[in-house]
């Protein structure tokens, strides 16, 4: 009985301990999640804040990189909104007590969160290149709202500055200093107009919240539309006698501002009365306000939250000062911001004005936008003219507007030789991190499969690629590229590969050099029928001597002996002599005496050498002999003798006109004078 009770108590204690451990683990996980934020952020390494969006920059946008190797979306942006920022502000201005909100403020908070849900649901539902691409849906925690999108560079609000941006001071100053070129603004506005046309004609929506904070520039340079929290169907109308948005409060709280579009960009019909309904003309008015601000660098309606000021300025919009706006854009803008709804043109008419149509460079960018849909003949004709136009594009246009579509066309083998020079020209000025994230993934398949002219172009630019790549990527792809060139059979590619190996001898990855590149050089040297390739291979070996071990040195000598057994041309002979001298200088007396000199000496009797080449060969052999007889390895008495007889100057003339040789060499020469030069005896000694 006692034993049974004891067992039950023991089992109960174990269960309690297990439950406590499980509870502690769950609490730890909850605490960890609270620190890290939403669950969707756990899959990413979150970086610094790069942008802001929404009213007063409530949405903070952070760069993030996936922790998973080979992720579908390796680079993303994490959108985070801190609820505490809203509630704390409302407690100050909305009458909350002891950490709670007053009832009106609580209703506004719930309305705002529902507005955020509506916004992200619209991003998920709308499929268009001009709509910000959603990667992970909205997630709510106790303190945060979070969702994941394609990588963002900045919002227009960040670039223009003002209260709608909440970037940290350093990032804010950097964004404000950036000046978009007129061409980039033109192209971006065309993208926005096209997106609005899609919303109005196909999605049946009015955005109603178009402003600099809802326009995002992605890392790839595209202008995307977000901020769909205020969007509604085209046939939406407020209740009779009721305003669509109420801006009567001249000092609104943060939550009040968050739940209505910013007044400086709102069309008059959304302020005056909702009885007439909401039309697409409201978005055209907002687009006109944004366009004016981009070019003039000031707001069209600088009214803050003052409804009275807004109404006063709206009535005089036809007389507004357009200084700073390009001349060709003045008339279209006046029509877009007309107070009367019927006077505004549709969004589709904006790209048709002469200001856009007369720009040749803009037409080129529009062609690039739709390049994937074009016929091969059209692409080839366009690419022939593109290099001349590239000289007129600024760096941002080249990197963000020109490069991405060109990378997408690399899958077309016929276009690769035309595309690559343009791409590599842009890559030259691309930051390393940007190259690794955006360009290298598109180039990798080409680096492993290119042939013909494309392969030759890649090898010619191997140094440029090595500088642009991270070291780990260079170690992975460049040795394989050089080996492909060596094995390809094209003499031009082989010669270029050997030149690049020499130029990059000190920077190539050691393992790739030893295990892949050098074996390919040996194979090339032994198998080629081209004298230029063979000479390049020996020159390449000479350049690599200082980076490789002694085993590789002996392998080089073995290859040299095999080659010179069948090829005794002057060019090959001189290259082998230079290689032997480099090996002797690098590895010292033992290798010089035992391996280098026996291999080099027979080359002095090669009949193809002219007198000048023979003199050079003698000097080279003298250098190798000097390495074999370094003073550190010679007894003291012989060192004193070297002050009279110089063993390093074989073949040098004495004052009487005869060569001065070391005594040992003179004795051997007297015993067995060579017929046409020096030769190696059976024991490897010079005779």
């Amino acid at each position: 009985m006692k034993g049974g009770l004891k067992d039950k108590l023991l089992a109960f204690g174990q269960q309690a301990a297990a439950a406590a451990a499980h509870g502690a683990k769950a609490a730890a996980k909850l605490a960890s999640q609270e620190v890290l934020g939403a669950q969707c952020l756990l899959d990413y390494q979150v970086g610094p804040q790069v942008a802001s969006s929404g009213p007063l920059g409530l949405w903070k946008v952070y760069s993030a990189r996936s922790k998973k190797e080979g992720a579908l979306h390796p680079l993303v942006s994490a959108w985070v909104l801190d609820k505490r920022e809203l509630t704390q502000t409302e407690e100050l201005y909305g009458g909350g007590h002891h950490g709670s909100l007053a009832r009106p403020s609580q209703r506004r908070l719930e309305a705002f969160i529902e507005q955020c849900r509506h916004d992200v649901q619209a991003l998920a539902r709308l499929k268009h290149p001009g709509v910000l691409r959603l990667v992970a849906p909205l997630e709510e925690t106790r303190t945060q709202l979070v969702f994941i999108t394609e990588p963002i560079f900045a919002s227009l609000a960040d670039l223009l500055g003002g209260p709608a941006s909440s970037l940290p001071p350093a990032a804010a100053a950097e964004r404000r200093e950036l000046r978009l070129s007129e061409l980039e603004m033109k192209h971006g506005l065309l993208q926005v107009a096209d997106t609005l046309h899609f919303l109005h004609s196909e999605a049946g929506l009015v955005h109603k919240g178009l402003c600099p904070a809802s326009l995002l520039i992605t890392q790839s340079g595209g202008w995307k539309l977000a901020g769909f929290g205020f969007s509604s169907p085209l046939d939406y109308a407020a209740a009779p006698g009721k305003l669509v948005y109420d801006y009567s409060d001249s000092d609104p709280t943060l939550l009040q501002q968050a739940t209505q579009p910013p007044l400086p960009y709102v069309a008059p019909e959304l302020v005056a009365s909702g009885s007439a309904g909401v039309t697409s003309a409201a978005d055209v008015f907002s687009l006109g306000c944004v366009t004016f601000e981009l070019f003039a660098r000031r707001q069209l309606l600088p009214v803050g939250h003052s409804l009275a000021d807004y109404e006063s300025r709206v009535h005089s919009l036809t007389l507004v000062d357009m200084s700073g706006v390009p001349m060709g854009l003045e008339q279209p803008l006046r029509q877009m911001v007309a107070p009367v709804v019927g006077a505004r043109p549709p969004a589709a008419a904006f790209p048709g004005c002469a200001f856009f149509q007369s720009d040749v460079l803009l037409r080129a960018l529009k062609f690039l936008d739709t390049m994937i849909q074009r016929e091969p003949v059209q692409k080839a004709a366009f690419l022939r003219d593109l290099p001349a136009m590239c000289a007129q594009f600024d760096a941002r246009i080249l990197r963000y507007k020109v490069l991405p579509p060109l990378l997408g066309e690399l899958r077309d083998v016929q276009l690769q030789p035309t595309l690559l020079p343009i791409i590599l020209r842009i890559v030259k000025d691309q930051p390393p991190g940007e190259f690794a994230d955006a360009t290298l993934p598109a180039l990798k398949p080409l680096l492993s499969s290119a042939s013909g002219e494309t392969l030759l172009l890649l090898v010619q630019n191997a140094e440029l690629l090595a500088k642009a790549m991270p070291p780990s990527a260079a170690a992975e792809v460049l040795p394989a590229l050089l080996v492909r060139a060596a094995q390809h059979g094209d003499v031009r590619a082989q010669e270029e590969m050997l030149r690049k190996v020499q130029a990059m001898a000190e920077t190539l990855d050691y393992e790739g050099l030893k295990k892949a590149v050098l074996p390919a050089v040996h194979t090339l040297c032994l198998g080629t029928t081209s004298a230029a390739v063979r000479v390049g291979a020996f020159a390449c070996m000479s350049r690599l001597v200082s980076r490789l071990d002694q085993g590789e040195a002996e392998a080089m000598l073995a290859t040299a002996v095999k080659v010179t057994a069948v090829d005794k041309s002057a060019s090959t002979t001189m290259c082998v002599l230079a290689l032997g001298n480099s090996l002797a200088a690098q590895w010292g007396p033992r290798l010089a005496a035992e391996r280098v000199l026996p291999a080099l000496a027979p080359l002095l009797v090669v009949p193809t050498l002219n007198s000048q080449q023979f003199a050079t060969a003698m000097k080279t052999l003298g250098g190798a002999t000097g390495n074999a007889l370094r003073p550190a390895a010679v007894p003291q008495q012989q060192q004193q003798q070297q002050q009279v007889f110089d063993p390093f100057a074989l073949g040098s003339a004495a004052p009487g006109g005869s060569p001065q040789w070391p005594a040992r060499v003179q004795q051997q020469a007297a015993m067995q004078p060579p017929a046409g030069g020096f030769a190696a005896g059976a024991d490897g000694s010079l005779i």
Side-chain angles (χ1 to χ4, degrees), residues 442-668:
L443 286 178
K444 265 191 174 182
L446 194 64
L447 291 168
S448 61
S449 64
S451 60
E453 291 295 325
T454 303
L455 179 60
L456 179 61
L457 283 168
L458 288 171
V459 175
Q460 287 173 340
N461 290 275
E463 289 178 271
L464 169 63
L465 293 172
K467 292 177 182 177
M469 292 182 192
S472 58
E476 177 187 352
V477 301
L478 288 183
L481 173 67
L482 296 171
V483 170
R484 276 182 57 78
Q487 297 172 344
H488 189 254
D490 184 346
V491 172
R492 295 177 306 158
Q494 292 171 345
E495 292 179 5
E496 191 63 37
M497 172 264 186
L498 294 169
R499 281 193 288 268
K500 290 305 173 184
V501 173
Q502 295 179 62
M504 302 166 63
E506 299 301 324
T507 57
L508 277 172
D509 174 65
Y510 178 78
E511 290 298 320
L513 182 64
K514 182 176 179 179
K515 295 180 179 179
V517 176
L518 188 59
V521 173
H522 281 289
T523 302
L524 201 55
C525 187
L526 291 168
T528 186
T529 58
S530 167
V533 171
R534 182 170 288 129
V535 167
F538 279 121
C540 189
M541 291 183 198
S542 298
R543 184 70 179 84
L544 295 176
V545 163
S546 61
R547 284 208 66 190
L548 299 168
D549 54 35
Q550 188 168 336
E552 296 298 334
E554 295 182 358
M556 291 179 185
L557 281 173
T559 296
V561 170
K562 291 178 183 178
V563 170
T564 53
V566 295
D567 179 9
K568 291 183 171 58
S569 62
S571 58
T572 299
T573 299
M574 299 305 293
C575 285
V576 170
L577 286 167
L579 172 62
N581 193 37
S582 298
L583 291 170
Q586 177 69 23
W587 295 105
R590 185 177 184 85
L591 184 71
E594 294 181 357
R595 302 299 302 274
V596 176
L597 291 179
L600 296 188
L603 301 181
L604 294 178
V605 298
V606 171
T608 56
L609 299 180
N610 59 34
S611 58
Q612 184 177 1
Q613 290 170 335
F614 182 77
T616 303
M618 291 295 294
K619 184 179 293 186
T620 302
L621 187 62
T625 305
N627 282 296
L629 301 174
R630 284 180 185 171
V634 180
Q636 183 68 25
Q637 295 178 352
Q638 293 186 22
Q639 290 185 34
Q640 295 174 357
Q641 186 179 10
Q642 289 172 15
Q643 297 176 5
V644 179
F645 299 103
D646 184 3
F648 308 127
L650 293 179
S652 61
S658 59
Q660 294 182 348
W661 305 104
R664 177 174 63 83
V665 177
Q666 290 183 17
Q667 293 171 1
Q668 290 181 347

Side-chain angles (χ1 to χ4, degrees), residues 1 6 12 18 22 51 60 161 178 204 225 238 278 341 360 428 448 483 491 519 615 628 659 667 679 681:
M1 188 72 177
K6 183 178 180 181
F12 178 77
H22 179 74
K60 295 176 174 57
L178 176 66
L225 189 56
V278 178
V341 173
V360 176
K428 185 177 180 181
S448 61
V483 170
V491 172
Q667 293 171 1

Side-chain angles (χ1 to χ4, degrees), residues 210-400:
L210 182 62
C211 64
S214 63
L215 291 173
L216 287 304
I217 300 177
T218 65
Q219 288 286 7
S220 59
W223 287 33
K224 302 296 183 80
L225 189 56
F228 287 89
F230 304 109
S231 63
S232 63
L234 277 172
D235 57 358
Y236 169 83
K242 185 177 180 182
L243 300 176
V244 179
Y245 295 107
D246 185 3
Y247 294 95
S248 57
D249 191 342
S250 61
D251 187 21
T253 65
L254 187 60
L255 268 178
Q256 283 178 292
Q257 296 176 54
T259 51
Q260 54 192 16
L263 186 57
Y265 307 95
V266 174
E269 61 268 25
L270 299 184
V271 177
S273 173
S275 58
V278 178
T279 69
S280 59
D283 289 342
V284 174
F285 183 92
S286 300
L287 178 59
C289 293
V290 172
T291 303
F292 178 89
E293 188 170 351
L294 276 172
F295 287 100
R297 305 299 294 185
R298 64 184 188 277
Q299 285 186 338
L300 179 68
L301 297 170
V303 298
H305 309 294
S306 172
L307 182 59
D309 197 3
Y310 174 88
E311 291 174 344
S312 172
R313 289 179 178 271
V314 162
H315 290 310
S316 59
L317 275 178
T318 54
L319 304 174
V320 70
D321 177 16
M322 286 282 178
S323 59
V325 176
M327 185 176 298
L329 194 57
E330 287 186 18
Q331 186 58 31
L333 271 187
R334 291 189 186 277
Q335 295 174 352
M336 294 171 70
V337 298
V340 180
V341 173
R344 297 176 209 150
F350 186 46
C353 67
F355 177 69
F356 296 107
Q357 292 298 319
S358 61
D359 194 326
V360 176
L361 297 180
L362 182 60
R363 292 207 300 269
L365 296 184
K366 290 172 65 178
F367 184 96
L368 286 166
D369 287 340
T370 58
M371 192 170 182
I372 193 172
Q373 305 166 11
R374 305 284 182 159
E375 295 296 327
V377 176
Q378 292 177 307
K379 294 178 184 179
F382 173 76
L383 290 173
R384 283 195 296 269
D385 298 331
L386 185 57
M389 288 185 283
C390 283
Q392 303 176 62
F393 291 141
D394 60 45
R396 282 185 54 81
I397 291 287
L398 288 173
R399 283 160 50 191
Y400 300 132

Side-chain angles (χ1 to χ4, degrees), residues 66-356:
S66 177
K67 297 177 182 177
K68 299 178 182 178
E69 190 70 26
L72 180 61
H73 302 287
L75 294 175
V76 297
S77 283
W79 292 57
V80 180
L81 188 146
D82 191 344
K83 294 180 185 177
R84 292 169 293 189
E85 186 176 351
L86 290 169
T87 56
Q88 289 168 2
T89 306
E90 289 298 306
E91 286 169 18
L92 291 174
Y93 297 101
H97 299 283
H98 305 294
S100 63
L101 293 176
R103 188 175 299 276
S105 296
Q106 184 63 41
R107 286 198 300 267
R108 289 194 193 100
L109 179 60
E110 292 170 357
F112 175 70
I113 293 175
E114 183 57 35
Q115 178 181 302
C116 292
R117 296 192 190 105
H118 179 61
D119 181 5
V120 181
Q121 287 168 1
L123 292 179
R125 186 175 65 256
L126 297 170
K127 304 300 180 184
H128 187 270
V131 175
L132 186 66
R133 179 162 48 87
L134 186 67
V135 174
L138 184 69
E139 185 175 340
E140 301 179 42
T141 70
R142 186 173 61 84
T143 60
Q144 292 178 332
L145 299 175
V146 181
F147 64 97
I148 307 294
T149 70
E150 61 184 303
I152 298 301
F153 169 71
S155 68
L156 282 189
D158 296 327
L159 300 183
L160 295 172
S165 176
S166 62
L167 284 173
E174 181 183 346
R175 294 293 187 270
R176 284 195 300 270
E177 289 174 3
L178 176 66
R179 288 290 183 266
L180 300 176
S181 66
E182 181 176 301
L183 180 59
E184 190 170 358
M185 289 190 289
K186 281 183 175 181
H187 188 244
L189 289 171
L190 287 187
Q191 290 177 319
V192 176
D194 181 61
T195 307
L196 288 179
H197 175 63
F198 160 76
L199 288 181
H200 301 159
S201 62
E202 297 185 36
L205 291 177
V206 184
H207 189 279
K208 295 197 302 185
L210 182 62
C211 64
S214 63
L215 291 173
L216 287 304
I217 300 177
T218 65
Q219 288 286 7
S220 59
W223 287 33
K224 302 296 183 80
L225 189 56
F228 287 89
F230 304 109
S231 63
S232 63
L234 277 172
D235 57 358
Y236 169 83
K242 185 177 180 182
L243 300 176
V244 179
Y245 295 107
D246 185 3
Y247 294 95
S248 57
D249 191 342
S250 61
D251 187 21
T253 65
L254 187 60
L255 268 178
Q256 283 178 292
Q257 296 176 54
T259 51
Q260 54 192 16
L263 186 57
Y265 307 95
V266 174
E269 61 268 25
L270 299 184
V271 177
S273 173
S275 58
V278 178
T279 69
S280 59
D283 289 342
V284 174
F285 183 92
S286 300
L287 178 59
C289 293
V290 172
T291 303
F292 178 89
E293 188 170 351
L294 276 172
F295 287 100
R297 305 299 294 185
R298 64 184 188 277
Q299 285 186 338
L300 179 68
L301 297 170
V303 298
H305 309 294
S306 172
L307 182 59
D309 197 3
Y310 174 88
E311 291 174 344
S312 172
R313 289 179 178 271
V314 162
H315 290 310
S316 59
L317 275 178
T318 54
L319 304 174
V320 70
D321 177 16
M322 286 282 178
S323 59
V325 176
M327 185 176 298
L329 194 57
E330 287 186 18
Q331 186 58 31
L333 271 187
R334 291 189 186 277
Q335 295 174 352
M336 294 171 70
V337 298
V340 180
V341 173
R344 297 176 209 150
F350 186 46
C353 67
F355 177 69
F356 296 107

